Amino acid sequence: MTNLEIGLTSFPVLLLMIFLRIPIGLSMLMVGLGGLYFVTGGTTVALAKLKSETYSTFSSYSLSIVPMFLLMGHFATLGGMSTALFKAAEAWLGHRRGGVAMSAVGACAGFGAICGSSLATAATMSQVALPELKRYGYSGGFSTATLAAGGTLGILIPPSVILVIYAILTEQNIAKLFLSAFIPGLLAALGYMITISLYVRRNPEAAGVRDAIPYVERFRALRAVWPVLLVFIAVVGGIYLGVFTPTEGAAVGAAGTGLIALSKGGLTRSSLIESFIATARSTAMIFFIVLGAGFYNGFLALTHVPQELSNYVVSLGYSPWAILTIILALYLVFGCLMDSLSMILLTIPIFFPIISNLDFGLTSEEVAIWFGIIVLIVVEVGLITPPVGMNLFVINSMDRLTPMLETYKAVLWFVASDIIRVAILVAFPGITLFLLRLLG
């Protein structure tokens, strides 16, 4: 077999291992090591890479941003920020038809601004919002679907762990990616609220009604969310203005949310240790997946699969928009099979060279940033796409009384909203690039 044939054969082998429930990080590591052995004809290169790749991955300064953002999310929860966000949103929207569900989405968007993880956002906001949704008569399937969709805002609204990984893989500016994700993130939240409004009109029995509260109480609830705004401006604003690097910004955010949690009484010795342990576990999982992807992508580079595939796709003569549509459709399929981080690490080294060689009428940097945001959104759709959407299982585990089928039925409305949003952002790249061009 030629090196190219070995590289192409690795794809079905990797997918088979994933279907056999072997962890994605371990699967990529094993296929990468095995591929290096067959390509180089021995174990020398594989063992040398095992030493160098492991060290470079776990000592990466750029990746140190990941545990800081994860820790920031834990401290934000201890500081009561998730509860404050939901109460503020509920004070202003709760009296509308479907308003408590809209409040949950708004709170998820706000919490996403200080937590770079979708699963963490979904799990945290579910603890706060799910009892309230049930209290006001919202159906189980509609409630869980709303929170699963709202949780996806955790990786879209900056800061985002997935965007950091994408920036490292494609050598893009993290601050510019964060800035470009802001408007699509707001569009996502708005789209979900519109979806909720349409759903309750179609299914009025799915949502109860809550009385409006006085404006004095609304503004009092709004004042309670100032720490969230302060942390967001400090982190994202500081990074973009060049006050500090993204890693320093993440550390500032973690320290700031830690001090707020301490002042609120939520940060104790035991909760601090628990936060460190939870952050370490999540970071270890992410880093191991990154390590496995490093081996697999290094093996693919030796076989020239990305370059050959890019040249082949370009030679087909399809329009750039048709090729982009095919790639995004593949992401929707992959989303039913694996988690978001694995998709990014596995596919970007293959798809990014293809997109970079196509002419969309944008600069190379704009194409990279625009494509990154679109991919992030499509990956986000995978988190709520039946039957294997990760957020669906996280939320359902917190509401055992709601059948998963009911969640599946309701979440399809949010999936439709996502697909419409993707189509809009693909058709009009200027929406994604607006702030970048305005402030650049």
Side-chain angles (χ1 to χ4, degrees):
M1 293 177 69
T2 65
N3 289 349
L4 182 62
E5 290 173 337
I6 294 174
L8 293 174
T9 304
S10 70
F11 288 112
V13 173
L14 178 60
L15 290 176
L16 176 62
M17 294 178 72
I18 294 173
F19 284 136
L20 293 175
R21 310 296 292 178
I22 299 175
I24 182 70
L26 182 59
S27 299
M28 289 192 288
L29 179 64
M30 293 171 63
V31 174
L33 287 173
L36 287 171
Y37 172 81
F38 285 111
V39 169
T40 61
T43 60
T44 303
V45 174
L47 291 177
K49 191 172 179 63
L50 187 61
K51 177 180 68 175
S52 60
E53 189 75 27
T54 303
Y55 175 78
S56 62
T57 298
F58 295 150
S59 63
S60 171
Y61 177 76
S62 298
L63 281 177
S64 62
I65 193 174
V66 173
M68 291 295 100
F69 278 145
L70 294 176
L71 186 61
M72 185 167 70
H74 285 292
F75 284 163
T77 302
L78 294 175
M81 295 185 189
S82 55
T83 302
L85 283 165
F86 179 71
K87 292 299 182 183
E90 187 184 22
W92 289 89
L93 298 173
H95 61 284
R96 300 178 180 275
R97 171 68 68 174
V100 180
M102 295 180 188
S103 304
V105 169
C108 285
F111 194 72
I114 50 175
C115 178
S117 168
S118 173
L119 296 180
T121 300
T124 301
M125 294 312 305
S126 294
Q127 295 175 353
V128 176
L130 195 56
E132 288 294 295
L133 289 165
K134 293 297 183 68
R135 175 186 173 191
Y136 290 109
Y138 283 68
S139 66
F142 180 45
S143 300
T144 51
T146 298
L147 291 168
T152 63
L153 298 174
I155 64 170
L156 182 55
I157 294 180
S160 166
V161 171
I162 302 295
L163 271 185
V164 171
I165 301 296
Y166 176 85
I168 294 172
L169 289 174
T170 59
E171 298 182 349
Q172 298 301 311
N173 186 292
I174 295 176
K176 291 182 178 180
L177 279 165
F178 281 0
L179 187 66
S180 299
F182 189 67
I183 291 180
L186 293 181
L187 286 177
L190 179 61
Y192 287 160
M193 289 184 183
I194 293 174
T195 299
I196 290 169
S197 178
L198 294 175
Y199 185 90
V200 296
R201 288 177 183 272
R202 178 69 176 78
N203 305 280
E205 75 285 352
V209 179
R210 199 210 68 178
D211 294 334
I213 64 175
Y215 277 95
V216 174
E217 294 185 28
R218 296 187 191 186
F219 282 108
R220 184 181 297 118
L222 197 61
R223 286 199 301 270
V225 302
W226 68 265
V228 178
L229 184 61
L230 179 64
V231 170
F232 176 78
I233 292 175
V235 174
V236 178
I239 291 173
Y240 186 77
L241 294 175
V243 178
F244 33 66
T245 67
T247 303
E248 293 168 347
V252 168
T257 50
L259 290 174
I260 292 171
L262 183 63
S263 67
K264 298 287 186 179
L267 188 61
T268 62
R269 179 184 177 86
S270 60
S271 63
L272 178 64
I273 294 174
E274 290 175 3
S275 297
F276 283 158
I277 293 175
T279 299
R281 285 174 177 166
S282 299
T283 302
M285 178 193 69
I286 292 172
F287 274 35
F288 188 72
I289 294 175
V290 172
L291 176 65
F295 275 94
Y296 185 64
N297 294 330
F299 151 65
L300 288 181
L302 282 179
T303 64
H304 299 289
V305 167
Q307 299 92 319
E308 293 295 331
L309 187 60
S310 175
N311 294 334
Y312 173 73
V313 171
V314 173
S315 69
L316 292 176
Y318 293 142
S319 72
W321 304 100
I323 295 173
L324 177 61
T325 301
I326 293 171
I327 289 175
L328 296 180
L330 288 174
Y331 271 113
L332 289 176
V333 175
F334 291 153
C336 298
L337 306 174
M338 62 183 73
D339 64 273
S340 54
L341 178 60
S342 302
M343 274 193 285
I344 291 291
L345 290 167
L346 181 62
T347 60
I348 289 301
I350 299 171
F351 290 153
F352 185 71
I354 296 175
I355 294 297
S356 298
N357 287 332
L358 300 177
D359 182 15
F360 292 97
L362 305 170
T363 67
S364 58
E365 182 185 50
E366 287 179 337
V367 168
I369 291 175
W370 171 59
F371 179 65
I373 301 303
I374 293 174
V375 166
L376 187 69
I377 295 172
V378 180
V379 165
E380 158 207 322
V381 178
L383 292 172
I384 59 172
T385 303
V388 198
M390 294 292 290
N391 277 20
L392 300 179
F393 288 100
V394 170
I395 302 300
N396 192 257
S397 67
M398 298 183 175
D399 185 15
R400 298 289 188 182
L401 297 179
T402 299
M404 183 63 82
L405 183 60
E406 295 300 315
T407 304
Y408 283 168
K409 290 179 180 178
V411 84
L412 290 178
W413 287 68
F414 295 97
V415 172
S417 171
D418 283 329
I419 293 175
I420 292 172
R421 177 161 41 94
V422 169
I424 292 173
L425 295 177
V426 168
F428 304 101
I431 296 176
T432 301
L433 302 171
F434 175 74
L435 288 180
L436 185 64
R437 290 170 174 174
L438 180 66
L439 302 176

